[in-house]
Amino acid sequence: MSDVEWSSVEKTVAQAAFEKALEREIDALVNEVRARASTITKLDDVWQLNDFLSARRHEIDGKYSYRYSVLIFVFAQLVKEGWLHLHELEGLEADKRTKIKALTRM
Amino acid sequence: MSDVEWSSVEKTVAQAAFEKALEREIDALVNEVRARASTITKLDDVWQLNDFLSARRHEIDGKYSYRYSVLIFVFAQLVKEGWLHLHELEGLEADKRTKIKALTRM
């Protein structure tokens, strides 16, 4: 799955799908942070928010890696987690979509 | 400034002052976290909140050390930062209060 196997049309589709998923996840995270922050009253709550943010940061930093060598796996994970829909990957060649779909079932 | 130099009356005063300062700082922190959280819109804002919380945690964990050997310095810092008023330390012997007052000017 190296760089050369992705056509320029596929790259455009992939980039858009990737950004859409990230945008959705950021929106959800922003909303969750606001909701959590509105309920904190004591120091433990503050540190729990801190721990939550550190964990999410680690997870998001690791997950959103736009490298063509791993993009199939990234997309499968994003579909699995609900940040991306399979139909948003239309435009990628059938073989890649089949692989992504298969990976979402693992 | 070891343990034995604090009378039981002084310990009661010290404990109450310490808790009062911590309570004030927690209240201020909770309000600031809520205010900051209400303005976040993008991922960078979320991570900035995370960094802010990590820094405050480190600072608060380090500052609120209830050990009689360092309590004079802790109180001086809390007064300096406005979390405690000198008059709230009435009940400590004059010598300690003089030291605390002098330290707040450094």
Side-chain angles (χ1 to χ4, degrees):
Chain A
M1 300 276 176
S2 71
D3 197 314
V4 292
E5 293 175 63
W6 294 72
S7 71
S8 67
V9 168
E10 285 185 306
K11 286 181 179 180
T12 306
V13 170
Q15 186 88 48
F18 185 90
E19 281 166 13
K20 190 72 201 162
L22 179 56
E23 190 189 310
R24 284 179 185 136
E25 188 151 8
I26 292 171
D27 282 350
L29 178 60
V30 164
N31 287 335
E32 187 168 359
V33 171
R34 287 183 182 185
R36 280 175 178 253
S38 71
T39 67
I40 62 172
T41 55
K42 49 191 203 303
L43 203 55
D44 267 0
D45 302 334
V46 179
W47 301 160
Q48 270 175 33
L49 178 62
N50 185 211
D51 289 339
F52 165 77
L53 291 175
S54 297
R56 296 294 280 122
R57 190 176 203 164
H58 183 74
E59 190 219 329
I60 289 176
D61 278 353
K63 190 163 63 181
Y64 285 90
S65 170
Y66 195 84
R67 286 179 292 133
Y68 290 107
S69 56
V70 295
L71 213 43
I72 291 289
F73 303 98
V74 172
F75 282 149
Q77 189 177 0
L78 294 175
V79 169
K80 225 168 164 175
E81 294 177 355
W83 304 114
L84 202 61
H85 305 290
L86 275 172
H87 68 80
E88 291 173 307
L89 295 170
E90 278 164 27
L92 300 189
E93 58 179 28
D95 180 51
K96 289 194 185 67
R97 287 163 59 204
T98 303
K99 280 177 183 154
I100 292 168
K101 203 171 174 181
L103 284 166
T104 61
R105 293 202 202 92
M106 285 180 187
Chain B
M1 301 279 176
S2 72
D3 197 314
V4 292
E5 294 173 62
W6 294 72
S7 71
S8 68
V9 169
E10 284 185 306
K11 286 182 179 179
T12 306
V13 170
Q15 185 89 47
F18 185 90
E19 280 166 14
K20 190 72 201 163
L22 179 56
E23 190 189 311
R24 285 179 185 134
E25 188 150 8
I26 292 170
D27 282 351
L29 177 61
V30 164
N31 287 336
E32 187 167 359
V33 171
R34 286 183 181 184
R36 280 177 179 251
S38 71
T39 67
I40 62 172
T41 55
K42 49 190 203 305
L43 204 55
D44 268 0
D45 302 334
V46 179
W47 301 161
Q48 270 175 34
L49 177 63
N50 186 215
D51 290 339
F52 166 77
L53 292 175
S54 298
R56 297 293 281 122
R57 189 177 202 162
H58 183 73
E59 190 219 330
I60 288 175
D61 277 352
K63 191 162 62 180
Y64 286 89
S65 170
Y66 196 84
R67 286 179 291 134
Y68 290 107
S69 57
V70 296
L71 213 45
I72 291 290
F73 303 99
V74 171
F75 281 149
Q77 188 178 358
L78 294 175
V79 169
K80 223 169 164 174
E81 294 176 358
W83 302 115
L84 201 60
H85 305 291
L86 275 172
H87 68 78
E88 292 173 307
L89 295 170
E90 280 164 23
L92 300 190
E93 60 178 27
D95 180 52
K96 289 195 184 67
R97 287 162 59 204
T98 303
K99 280 178 182 153
I100 293 168
K101 204 171 174 180
L103 283 165
T104 62
R105 295 202 201 92
M106 286 184 185

